[in-house]
């Protein structure tokens, strides 16, 4: 009996397919653990939260770091997620020569409603294994911010974060990379008022 097995792709193969025009700029895909994942459409709450973050984050980050929105982070050998936001170390070439890698990342942020289980179950171990120190999920389903820190690997080879902190939408949270700069979550979470 022959068992069919899905083909997993490396970053190099994924980039080559893109160069050959197999994927297009408007395709909502990302490479996760060698699999090409089609991203779900964004709802209005997700889009509103993104707009709010686009307004607030540049005020906090300024010139101290590079802010990227829905752009790739290369995680060798076979992942290239496109998180909603990432705060990166500044680099002289402004990442023209290559996408950021985990050592460039100060904080990764995802906005999640219908993608919540994906962001928790797949992205938490992915970012932890890559050594990304801080990962935030703006959980629109439960209406709070999940702040993950201190990546680890357990005795069974599974990755996660030692700390998960919940911050409510009426609270203020410090950016882990810039603890003096505070984000007012009431200005970020969509309000129905």
């Amino acid at each position: 009996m022959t068992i069919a097995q899905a083909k997993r792709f490396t970053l190099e193969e994924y980039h080559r397919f893109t160069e050959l025009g197999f994927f297009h700029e408007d395709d909502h895909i990302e490479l996760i653990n060698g699999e090409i994942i089609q991203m779900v459409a964004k709802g209005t709450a997700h889009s509103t939260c993104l707009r709010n973050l686009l307004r607030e984050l540049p005020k906090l980050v300024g010139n101290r770091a590079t802010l990227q929105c829905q752009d790739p982070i290369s995680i060798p050998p076979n992942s290239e997620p496109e998180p909603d936001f990432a705060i990166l170390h500044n680099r002289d070439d402004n990442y023209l020569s290559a996408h950021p890698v985990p050592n460039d990342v100060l904080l990764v942020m995802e906005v999640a409603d219908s993608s919540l289980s994906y962001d928790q179950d797949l992205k938490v171990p992915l970012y932890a294994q890559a050594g990304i120190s801080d990962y935030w999920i703006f959980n629109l389903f439960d209406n709070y911010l999940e702040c993950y820190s201190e990546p680890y690997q357990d005795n069974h080879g599974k990755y996660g974060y030692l700390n998960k902190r919940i911050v409510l939408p009426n609270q203020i949270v410090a950016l882990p990379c810039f603890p003096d700069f505070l984000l007012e979550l009431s200005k970020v979470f969509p309000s129905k008022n």
Side-chain angles (χ1 to χ4, degrees):
M1 176 163 81
T2 305
I3 298 175
Q5 187 171 354
K7 164 72 172 132
R8 293 195 181 270
F9 299 96
T10 65
L11 274 171
E12 185 178 307
E13 291 168 326
Y14 181 66
H15 290 164
R16 184 74 179 130
F17 286 147
T18 302
E19 290 168 13
L20 293 172
F22 189 75
F23 307 124
H24 302 283
E25 236 178 71
D26 57 349
D27 288 341
H28 299 290
I29 59 171
E30 58 185 6
L31 182 69
I32 304 295
N33 299 320
E35 294 182 19
I36 298 170
I37 307 293
Q38 179 77 39
M39 303 303 296
V40 297
K42 296 170 181 68
T44 57
H46 189 285
S47 296
T48 297
C49 189
L50 285 177
R51 278 191 296 277
N52 292 344
L53 284 164
L54 275 169
R55 184 180 55 246
E56 297 303 317
L57 288 174
K59 295 178 202 173
L60 298 177
V61 174
N63 295 347
R64 291 173 287 282
T66 298
L67 182 63
Q68 85 174 22
C69 179
Q70 298 179 333
D71 288 318
I73 296 172
S74 292
I75 302 176
N78 61 359
S79 292
E80 195 167 88
E82 297 189 14
D84 288 314
F85 287 95
I87 299 176
L88 312 169
H89 289 288
N90 286 330
R91 211 166 75 184
D92 289 342
D93 74 342
N94 196 26
Y95 296 95
L96 180 61
S97 62
H99 293 309
V101 296
N103 286 343
D104 297 315
V105 177
L106 298 168
L107 173 63
V108 171
M109 292 175 257
E110 296 282 5
V111 175
D113 44 14
S114 59
S115 66
L116 182 60
S117 62
Y118 177 73
D119 292 331
Q120 292 170 330
D121 300 341
L122 271 103
K123 297 274 185 88
V124 164
L126 176 72
Y127 292 138
Q129 182 176 7
I132 292 173
S133 60
D134 292 281
Y135 172 44
W136 287 4
I137 300 174
F138 289 86
N139 179 337
L140 301 182
F141 183 77
D142 296 308
N143 204 40
Y144 53 65
L145 173 64
E146 299 176 17
C147 301
Y148 296 87
S149 62
E150 296 188 51
Y152 78 97
Q153 179 180 10
D154 69 14
N155 293 335
H156 304 289
K158 293 186 179 179
Y159 290 87
Y161 286 91
L162 289 174
N163 296 313
K164 176 184 175 184
R165 181 175 158 226
I166 301 297
V167 185
L168 301 176
N170 63 344
Q171 295 180 309
I172 295 172
V173 63
L175 296 178
C177 44
F178 303 111
D180 294 341
F181 295 93
L182 305 175
L183 180 62
E184 292 180 52
L185 295 184
S186 63
K187 293 182 177 180
V188 173
F189 277 91
S191 173
K192 293 185 170 72
N193 298 339

